[in-house]
Amino acid sequence: MGNSALKAHLETAQKTGVFQLTGKGLTEFPEDLQKLTSNLRTIDLSNNKIELLPPLIGKFSFLKSLALNNNKLTALPDELCKLKKLETLHLNGNHLRQLPAAFGQLSALKTLSLSGNQLRTVPTQLSGLRHLDVVDLSKNQIQNVPDTVGELQAIELNLNQNQISQISVQISHCPRLKVLRLEENCLELSMLPQSILSDSQISLLAVEGNLFEIKKLRELEGYDKYMERFTATKKKFA
């Protein structure tokens, strides 16, 4: 892509606050975006070949949405955590193994998508995020869900297509969790905490494709209580 094309994109972005440059084979984050640190509200660089997110990302202090789906990121810089206004972060289809230690400082974050990376656990940093609504950790290499999950504020947690065989009973203490997706994992029925059914806010539990038959779920203690929540929620959206 030539300089003139980039220049045109930058001029548009200056007016709109949106910089979108997807599927152009970019190998690095465009340095010229530095000129727009106070203009930009949205950056979308999905479907490129970017391997590194430079520290200058921390300067986009008004950024609300950042999308870098389907790139080649293996790590995120600490500076990303300075984005106090960031509400939406899409990083699907990269090679991320972990999140920066300071990730919990992204205090405005509502939507986080990390599907198709190489995470091995549910990052503990997520528990500090007070406004989180949706977390997508599907298609990773997560094997267990740790105790810290009990502090997660999300309304929906997607853990489909991982290798989960253990879940902390603390998951039933999540104050806002309504939707829990655990399809296509390695769960035995005995490893599914019954308190999810009897004693949580969860009104949609998706567990197809594990190591037990769905009809066996109906025999568990607390299933009736779960069905009451499920039915009440269905009626509300009907």
Side-chain angles (χ1 to χ4, degrees), residues 127 145-153 168-176:
S127 300
V145 180
D147 287 347
T148 46
V149 77
E151 294 162 43
L152 190 69
Q153 297 287 327
S168 166
V169 68
Q170 296 295 329
I171 198 159
S172 50
H173 297 165
C174 290
R176 299 167 68 215

Side-chain angles (χ1 to χ4, degrees), residues 7 15 24 40 54 57-58 67 73-74 79 103 111 117 143 150 155 160 162 179-180 203:
K7 203 173 164 196
K15 295 184 192 112
K24 297 289 184 208
L40 290 183
I57 191 68
L73 299 171
T74 52
E79 287 79 4
F103 198 81
T111 303
N117 278 281
Q143 294 175 5
I155 296 168
N160 289 346
N162 278 285
V179 179
L180 177 58
S203 56

Side-chain angles (χ1 to χ4, degrees), residues 1 6 8-13 16-21 26 30 33 36 40-45:
M1 193 183 85
L6 182 60
H9 276 279
L10 289 169
E11 280 169 17
T12 308
T16 61
V18 177
F19 185 83
Q20 187 177 27
L21 201 56
L26 295 181
L33 283 185
L36 300 177
L40 290 183
R41 304 291 185 271
T42 301
I43 295 176
D44 186 353
L45 293 165

Side-chain angles (χ1 to χ4, degrees), residues 109-122:
L109 203 60
K110 290 180 183 171
T111 303
L112 175 63
S113 300
L114 286 160
S115 180
N117 278 281
Q118 293 170 17
L119 299 172
R120 293 184 177 274
T121 184
V122 176

Side-chain angles (χ1 to χ4, degrees), residues 154-172:
I155 296 168
E156 175 170 343
L157 177 59
N158 185 343
L159 292 164
N160 289 346
Q161 292 178 287
N162 278 285
Q163 297 154 19
I164 296 167
S165 59
Q166 281 184 310
I167 298 179
S168 166
V169 68
Q170 296 295 329
I171 198 159
S172 50

Side-chain angles (χ1 to χ4, degrees), residues 197 202-205 222-230:
L197 299 172
I202 294 165
S203 56
L204 177 63
L205 176 65
Y223 188 76
D224 296 349
K225 274 190 169 177
Y226 163 68
M227 279 315 290
E228 279 172 25
R229 295 192 304 271
F230 177 80

